Amino acid sequence: MSRTVIAAVDGSAESLAAADWAAHEAQMRRLPLHLLHVWQDWSRAFAHAPFTGLDTTPCEGAATAAQHYAEQVTHEASDRLRAAHPGLEISVEQVHGRPAEVLLSAAEKAEVLVVGSRGLGSLAGFLTGSVSLPVIAHAERPVVAVRAGERAECAPLPGTGDHGDRKGQCLDVVLGLDLSRPCDELLAYAFEAAAARAATLRVVHGWSVPVVEGYDPAAADPGHGVALGLREASALTDVLRSWRGKFPQVEVKEQCLVGRPAGHLVEASKEASLLIVGRRIRRAAVGAHIGPVTHAVLHHATTPVAVVPHL
């Protein structure tokens, strides 16, 4: 079955930014776009709410109004995107239910699920909400978080024009790679994203010199740290070698940097069109986790973030 790019829309500026990003992604990947709105009948919730002294009498027609709003939001978004992306196949759907549950179910059939994220006021960063964060933490397909007000998906680099070959006009696609788990799902998504954009793929690997019982060998012998750095760089090159062969059209830049990966990725996001990180799928009883690096970049990166689940 053909997969689609799915965008969750609710009428907010964040969800409309997500829909814009999803439409661009669908057009680049030659896939259909599906706009999904999840609506809830709040009148039923009020009907079963405990007595608070406030008037919680269900409003007659509240469910009808919620459903009408859902239809309005999706159709207005689809009309706007059809005008901006002629020829793009766009479908709409309104589903009654719990947003996180509905989106997780929809993600199973998606090439990628795109959700909006709220900005941290005057601070630069993401604030994944009560819906976005659980979806990212549990989905087994890639999820992209997009914030309102982001720059264009393929913003021209300084000094480039708006015409001619796209090569070199898209900001880099940045991949955060942990060499202890260089999974195929993550690498495939990153190379495909860079190829679709005709962009450079910048692979960032953060590492630290291990400290044993309070002893830092690099401090005592700087050559030890240099040797470890060369070993890490060589390992990164080895991991990427076969992927370069599969995607010869993609220019790849390798960066092995000492220090915490999250900080390097947040810094790299300032000059990127997309930041890609992985999330290990955990099926333990304690629930899903997104990991400290993914959590940090979701909150502080300045570009859309793709979270790719893997075993």
Side-chain angles (χ1 to χ4, degrees):
M1 186 179 73
S2 175
R3 291 188 176 273
T4 61
V5 175
I6 298 179
V9 294
D10 61 9
S12 66
E14 293 79 14
S15 77
L16 295 179
D20 287 336
W21 191 94
H24 192 76
E25 183 76 0
Q27 193 165 54
M28 285 192 300
R29 290 179 177 262
R30 295 181 172 87
L31 293 172
L33 172 65
H34 187 67
L35 302 179
L36 176 60
H37 178 94
V38 186
W39 64 279
Q40 295 177 286
D41 182 0
W42 292 109
S43 65
R44 293 186 181 182
F46 285 131
H48 296 90
F51 177 72
T52 61
L54 301 175
D55 182 8
T56 57
T57 303
C59 298
E60 184 178 356
T64 302
Q67 189 171 9
H68 175 73
Y69 176 74
E71 294 172 353
Q72 178 182 345
V73 165
T74 53
H75 287 295
E76 286 182 354
S78 65
D79 289 344
R80 181 174 58 84
L81 292 175
R82 285 192 178 96
H85 301 273
L88 177 62
E89 180 183 344
I90 302 176
S91 59
V92 300
E93 183 181 12
Q94 306 87 31
V95 178
H96 175 262
R98 298 178 182 272
E101 293 176 3
V102 173
L103 293 178
L104 283 171
S105 178
E108 296 176 2
K109 304 182 288 292
E111 184 70 18
V112 60
L113 173 67
V114 188
V115 297
S117 291
R118 299 191 301 276
L120 288 169
S122 60
L123 300 177
F126 283 118
L127 176 59
T128 49
S130 59
V131 174
S132 299
L133 192 57
V135 170
I136 292 170
H138 291 86
E140 298 194 5
R141 296 293 302 166
V143 179
V144 177
V146 179
R147 186 179 52 178
E150 293 289 358
R151 58 176 169 263
E153 164 65 15
C154 278
L157 293 172
T160 64
D162 296 329
H163 306 289
D165 189 1
R166 284 176 55 203
K167 185 70 174 177
Q169 292 190 17
C170 265
L171 296 173
D172 293 354
V173 171
V174 173
L175 167 64
L177 190 62
D178 180 357
L179 290 182
S180 67
R181 297 191 188 94
C183 61
D184 288 346
E185 297 92 336
L186 183 60
L187 286 160
Y189 186 93
F191 272 87
E192 289 169 2
R197 291 161 175 76
T200 296
L201 175 61
R202 183 156 33 118
V203 184
V204 177
H205 168 57
W207 66 281
S208 299
V209 177
V211 177
V212 181
E213 296 182 356
Y215 169 69
D216 183 355
D221 178 12
H224 179 76
V226 172
L228 286 178
L230 292 173
R231 187 181 69 183
E232 293 290 329
S234 177
L236 178 59
T237 298
D238 290 343
V239 167
L240 296 175
R241 183 173 292 109
S242 64
W243 291 95
R244 288 178 185 267
K246 295 176 184 178
F247 293 85
Q249 75 277 29
V250 175
E251 179 184 355
V252 181
K253 294 180 180 178
E254 303 174 19
Q255 290 185 310
C256 272
L257 304 172
V258 178
R260 295 182 178 181
H264 292 309
L265 292 174
V266 170
E267 182 64 26
S269 74
K270 297 177 182 179
E271 297 180 356
S273 61
L274 178 66
L275 173 61
I276 304 170
V277 292
R279 178 187 67 78
R280 189 178 179 186
I281 297 174
R282 302 176 186 270
R283 296 191 175 96
V286 295
H289 302 278
I290 63 173
V293 174
T294 299
H295 190 274
V297 299
L298 282 169
H299 281 76
H300 300 292
T302 56
T303 195
V305 177
V307 181
V308 181
H310 61 86
L311 295 174

